[in-house]
Amino acid sequence: GYGDGGWVSLIAARRENKIKGVGLIATAGTSGDAFTLEQQEIILDNIGVTETERQEKIDLQQRIHRAVLGDENWNDIPNTMRMRADTAWFKSVLSFDPADVIRRVRQPLLVVHGELDQEVPPHHADRIEQLAGERRRRSSTTEIAKLEGLNHVLVQTTADDRQNYGMVTNQQVSHTVSETLVEWINKTLLD
């Protein structure tokens, strides 16, 4: 599963014994609530708003989260924002916590992450590894592959252009991604 699809893969693996292994690519390792706020903070840092504007936007986002999750009412939240946020899908994203699922996944895990990923920073791979380390079954192995020079869309980039996907001249997924997946499948799943 790539990105949010990694969460879907974890849920499927927890429910289905026929799934032999799970590959998570650029997948968040924190709750949807925390991850959404982290993404907003990254965006705000990149666009260079004032500290006051930054804090106002973060405070509003936190109030929206609390309202979506039923912990607060929608007072003082613009109706246009409520119409976009007050959905079953967004509530499911905010309330999802991979920690609850990873601990119950029995299958081997491969976590692939670009070292220059700015949308889902690489510390998420470390968090998934930590959570997976709490599993007790011998077959519940975890392998982490942080791929050098790759961004969120898994293309080769540099630290200078990692936030500007449109500026990246090579738009092809790096061969190291498929090589990593094939090597892990051969080593872990085909024994």
Side-chain angles (χ1 to χ4, degrees):
Y2 171 81
D4 296 345
W7 288 355
V8 175
S9 297
L10 289 168
I11 292 168
R14 185 193 75 212
R15 293 179 181 174
E16 180 55 61
N17 289 331
K18 292 179 183 178
I19 294 173
K20 300 297 180 197
V22 180
L24 303 175
I25 302 172
T27 299
T30 58
S31 70
D33 182 30
F35 180 60
T36 303
L37 287 172
E38 179 184 9
Q39 285 185 313
Q40 183 186 36
E41 289 174 357
I42 290 169
I43 291 167
L44 292 172
D45 289 346
N46 288 335
I47 63 173
V49 298
T50 67
E51 185 57 37
T52 301
E53 289 174 302
R54 182 181 190 280
Q55 196 56 55
E56 287 172 357
K57 291 181 183 303
I58 290 169
D59 290 346
L60 175 59
Q61 189 67 48
Q62 289 173 326
R63 289 194 336 262
I64 290 170
H65 287 198
R66 289 190 300 268
V68 167
L69 295 171
D71 299 330
E72 193 172 296
N73 61 41
W74 287 95
N75 296 346
D76 301 324
I77 296 173
N79 196 44
T80 56
M81 292 184 169
R82 179 179 182 171
M83 288 174 34
R84 288 192 308 241
D86 195 9
T87 67
W89 173 82
F90 193 50
K91 183 175 183 175
S92 73
V93 168
L94 293 179
S95 62
F96 183 77
D97 188 351
D100 297 335
V101 180
I102 289 173
R103 289 184 186 109
R104 295 184 288 172
V105 169
R106 301 164 303 285
Q107 298 89 337
L109 293 176
L110 171 64
V111 181
V112 178
H113 221 98
E115 285 187 337
L116 297 177
D117 189 336
Q118 290 297 293
E119 288 187 42
V120 183
H123 69 85
H124 285 274
D126 300 330
R127 174 74 175 138
I128 291 171
E129 181 178 33
Q130 174 196 358
L131 294 170
E134 297 172 10
R135 302 180 305 160
R136 299 288 178 233
R137 292 184 173 182
R138 281 183 27 178
S139 62
S140 300
T141 60
T142 305
E143 187 173 322
I144 305 296
K146 289 187 184 175
L147 304 179
E148 186 176 335
L150 299 187
N151 64 14
H152 185 68
V153 293
L154 306 170
V155 300
Q156 194 70 38
T157 190
T158 66
D160 293 336
D161 65 7
R162 64 185 172 190
Q163 296 168 352
N164 303 313
Y165 296 147
M167 305 295 276
V168 177
T169 55
N170 176 11
Q171 294 293 320
Q172 204 167 30
V173 171
S174 173
H175 63 87
T176 58
V177 176
S178 56
E179 289 170 358
T180 301
L181 289 167
V182 168
E183 180 182 315
W184 178 75
I185 289 168
N186 286 334
K187 178 177 66 177
T188 308
L189 303 180
L190 298 180
D191 288 340

